[in-house]
Amino acid sequence: MAAAMAAFALLHALPAHSYLPMGDGSGGVFVSAHWQSTPIPIEISTNVSAVGTKLQGSTSFQTVIQNSLNSWNQAPNFQTPLGTVTTSTAQAPDGTNLICFCTSGVVFNQNDGTLALTVTQFSGSQITGANIFFNPNPTGVCFITDSNASCANGTDFAQDLQTVATHELGHFIGLDHSAVVRATMYPFAPAKETQLSWDDVAGASLLYPKAALDVGTGGISGTISKTGAVFGAHVFANPTGSNNPFGAFPSIRKTPIGTLSDLSGNYTIIGLPPDDYVVYAEPLDGPVLDGNVAWAQDFGQGSVMTDFTTRFH
Ligand SMILES: [Zn+2]
């Protein structure tokens, strides 16, 4: 069985539109990747010596990661695959699903603003392991663990660590980047945003749906075509009503929910809670670009199609 790896960088961007699972579309039909066995054991390294003064704040690394895990574990409509957390002092991958400021296992480019990387191992469409590596020396940035903290170097940008951890855990469970700008899985980190969005919840519950949904949802599907099928259009449903269907989950933010069209131009957006929606189709031509998502690669294509203009109905 083929083994593959995927890595997604969360980029630091100033300032800084869809849920998208990782998976395989090589047969023309997209198959989402899932963890082979759940619950997933997780190891947090409490050894943060590699990050030095680039980590500031009174809250511990372990607590920040646990807070991020809690955000996913408590998400509506989502049967969390995340399991028991243990701790270690590992500074290199050790065969566990390690979350760390590691000194080896991944090499960060010192000239970019990469904050963290999640490296995932696959066997076919099964996820067999993953590590989350935080960059111990991000250029022009430091990590803070509480809002009162500031960087040791006054010119560094203070990046909330939990914001980054929550994003990386989305990759860890099997989500690709989202082109929905306010989604947790958007590839560029805001200074602080620790709450999941409707888009993230839709993606998580697509992969690991709760048997009895907390909030009933529906779907919208269609086809994007120009002279022929449009592959890789970003199609998103923007909620325009005043409903608050996730009101019992006050930590969930209302955002559009989106996806990308497949090789036939077909799209299906599921996980839509009750509201009114306007559906848009737009090219993936910025701020999120083809290179930020694995969609074209998943389908064995060179790139998604962007030679069209935004439409909505
Ligand atoms: Zn990412």
Side-chain angles (χ1 to χ4, degrees):
M1 193 172 282
M5 291 175 69
F8 297 97
L10 177 64
L11 301 173
H12 169 64
L14 291 174
H17 297 181
S18 70
Y19 72 79
L20 207 60
M22 293 192 249
D24 179 15
S26 59
V29 176
F30 188 81
V31 180
S32 303
H34 296 76
W35 276 80
Q36 192 165 44
S37 68
T38 61
I40 311 160
I42 295 162
E43 185 174 299
I44 301 172
S45 176
T46 59
N47 186 342
V48 294
S49 61
V51 66
T53 59
K54 287 277 191 175
L55 180 65
Q56 298 288 334
S58 56
T59 307
S60 73
F61 179 65
Q62 182 184 348
T63 297
V64 169
I65 301 302
Q66 190 59 59
N67 289 343
S68 300
L69 287 164
N70 293 346
S71 290
W72 287 104
N73 288 337
Q74 293 161 8
N77 291 356
F78 173 58
Q79 182 59 53
T80 184
L82 300 166
T84 307
V85 174
T86 55
T87 60
S88 75
T89 57
Q91 290 194 290
D94 57 0
T96 64
N97 303 308
L98 182 65
I99 302 174
C100 63
F101 279 104
C102 280
T103 52
S104 66
V106 67
V107 177
F108 288 101
N109 182 338
Q110 292 305 307
N111 297 317
D112 70 25
T114 300
L115 301 168
L117 271 174
T118 298
V119 179
T120 306
Q121 290 91 42
F122 295 93
S123 176
S125 63
Q126 302 288 311
I127 301 173
T128 55
N131 291 312
I132 298 176
F133 299 99
F134 289 89
N135 188 347
N137 190 23
T139 304
V141 182
C142 88
F143 293 105
I144 57 171
T145 66
D146 63 73
S147 54
N148 295 322
S150 57
C151 297
N153 179 345
T155 63
D156 278 358
F157 178 84
Q159 173 64 53
D160 175 64
L161 180 66
Q162 188 180 333
T163 300
V164 180
T166 307
H167 174 97
E168 296 305 323
L169 284 168
H171 289 316
F172 188 89
I173 62 170
L175 291 175
D176 194 348
H177 284 140
S178 170
V180 170
V181 172
R182 291 183 294 122
T184 294
M185 296 317 294
Y186 184 65
F188 308 100
K192 182 171 185 178
E193 183 51 83
T194 58
Q195 299 183 335
L196 300 178
S197 74
W198 283 21
D199 185 71
D200 303 301
V201 168
S205 63
L206 170 74
L207 294 178
Y208 307 97
K210 207 178 250 185
L213 297 181
D214 300 296
V215 176
T217 59
I220 298 173
S221 60
T223 305
I224 308 299
S225 59
K226 203 175 61 164
T227 51
V230 175
F231 170 64
H234 180 224
V235 189
F236 62 96
N238 186 36
T240 57
S242 55
N243 292 349
N244 186 17
F246 292 128
F249 299 85
S251 63
I252 303 299
R253 295 174 290 121
K254 189 170 187 172
T255 65
I257 300 176
T259 189
L260 298 182
S261 58
D262 68 14
L263 285 173
S264 303
N266 295 328
Y267 70 88
T268 302
I269 305 170
I270 66 167
L272 298 166
D275 206 352
D276 300 321
Y277 292 92
V278 178
V279 178
Y280 294 76
E282 63 169 13
L284 207 61
D285 60 358
V288 174
L289 300 167
D290 178 67
N292 295 124
V293 298
W295 195 245
Q297 187 184 319
D298 292 341
F299 281 89
Q301 301 295 303
S303 65
V304 297
M305 294 166 63
T306 56
D307 56 339
F308 64 101
T309 54
T310 303
R311 299 296 169 90
F312 61 93
H313 64 256

